[in-house]
Amino acid sequence: MITIQQQWDQVQRQIREACRRSDRDPQDVNIIAVTKYVDQERTREALDTGLVHIGESRAQEAVPKWEALGDRGVWHFIGRLQRNKVRQVAGRFQYLHSLDRFSLAEEVNKRAGEAETPMHCFIQVNVSGEANKQGVVPQELPEFAREIVQLPFIRVVGLMTMAPLTEKPEETRPVFRELKSLQARLRSLDDLRLDMPHLSMGMSRDYSIAVEEGATFLRLGSVLVGRQD
Ligand SMILES: *Cc1c(COP(=O)(O)O)cnc(C)c1O
């Protein structure tokens, strides 16, 4: 496999170009290395290369990797999370990107409380409205956000979305733009707890567009660490 350093250099070039086009500072764009398609050795290579943020989406495979490498990075749980798996994630992962229902928020709050470690959460939003997609629908977002910011062990840091799978990356742009405008709407509600700084959006196929539209966390798997499956 091509080294992660080579892939990372290429990704950073693309990010710098997207930032130049959109008048942004590349320092504001964080990269999460999504290691769900690769083994522990390749995950270690990502950390050795200097990547800090690691993203995983299945608790069963993520926990053994965390046991081996957890003290070395900042760990993000990015996939759908079942309530009965929250206990494995709380206290290990610092970030959860898929908070999309109150019952899950309550369980995260409870387990994070037991671990005495607040969970940094992104609210996942189903911007495109596809029936098979996870996420809060935009109309319900303000009310949902107001409810969960009251939970003491949940820190809402931003919004997350997944763009539709499409052959034409340009078609993802309106989805990213809408997520940013939803963030602006929450920030205008005059509640400091809703003043969330981050947007988790952009994957291997569409991250340049996500950067142009304001992403602060990119979730990059295939393009950065590759796939072994
Ligand atoms: C797998 C996954 C990614 C990364 O996918 P790539 O297209 O390989 O970059 C990002 N976000 C989520 C939620 C994922 O499940």
Side-chain angles (χ1 to χ4, degrees), residues 34 36-37 57 78-80 97 124 160 162 202-205 219-224 226-227:
V34 175
K36 68 180 184 195
Y37 306 120
S57 67
I78 63 172
R80 179 168 170 77
H97 289 244
Q124 185 169 356
M160 177 275 217
M162 295 185 56
M203 301 168 42
S204 291
R205 300 159 65 107
R219 308 180 309 270
L220 303 180
S222 6
V223 82
L224 182 58
R227 311 180 62 125

Side-chain angles (χ1 to χ4, degrees), residues 32-45:
I32 301 171
V34 175
T35 50
K36 68 180 184 195
Y37 306 120
V38 301
D39 61 17
Q40 193 175 297
E41 277 321 298
R42 188 78 170 167
T43 305
R44 188 189 305 277
E45 184 189 337

Side-chain angles (χ1 to χ4, degrees), residues 10-149:
Q10 175 66 20
V11 164
Q12 282 180 308
R13 264 196 298 279
Q14 298 287 333
I15 292 173
R16 277 198 303 273
E17 283 170 22
C19 282
R20 204 171 304 129
R21 289 194 294 274
S22 52
D23 201 18
R24 295 191 61 202
D25 183 347
Q27 303 259 31
D28 295 334
V29 183
N30 299 285
I31 299 173
I32 301 171
V34 175
T35 50
K36 68 180 184 195
Y37 306 120
V38 301
D39 61 17
Q40 193 175 297
E41 277 321 298
R42 188 78 170 167
T43 305
R44 188 189 305 277
E45 184 189 337
L47 290 161
D48 289 346
T49 305
L51 287 155
V52 173
H53 298 282
I54 300 293
E56 282 282 333
S57 67
R58 282 180 293 263
Q60 204 177 328
E61 290 147 37
V63 170
K65 280 185 194 157
W66 184 90
E67 296 291 351
L69 303 166
D71 55 340
R72 295 193 48 196
V74 176
W75 290 67
H76 297 251
F77 198 90
I78 63 172
R80 179 168 170 77
L81 183 58
Q82 292 167 311
R83 264 198 301 168
N84 62 6
K85 302 274 169 63
V86 171
R87 198 152 35 128
Q88 300 176 39
V89 170
R92 292 186 169 121
F93 285 67
Q94 289 95 327
Y95 288 84
L96 173 64
H97 289 244
S98 52
L99 192 62
D100 65 350
R101 52 204 195 281
F102 193 69
S103 58
L104 177 62
E106 282 182 315
E107 181 67 11
V108 169
N109 182 59
K110 178 177 160 196
R111 299 302 182 183
E114 287 170 5
E116 295 178 26
T117 314
M119 181 72 92
H120 300 91
C121 294
F122 288 85
I123 300 174
Q124 185 169 356
V125 186
N126 183 359
V127 174
S128 58
E130 291 165 281
N132 61 348
K133 275 236 154 71
Q134 310 299 321
V136 179
V137 297
Q139 300 87 298
E140 288 166 13
L141 176 62
E143 193 189 333
F144 181 71
R146 278 204 187 93
E147 277 177 0
I148 64 169
V149 294

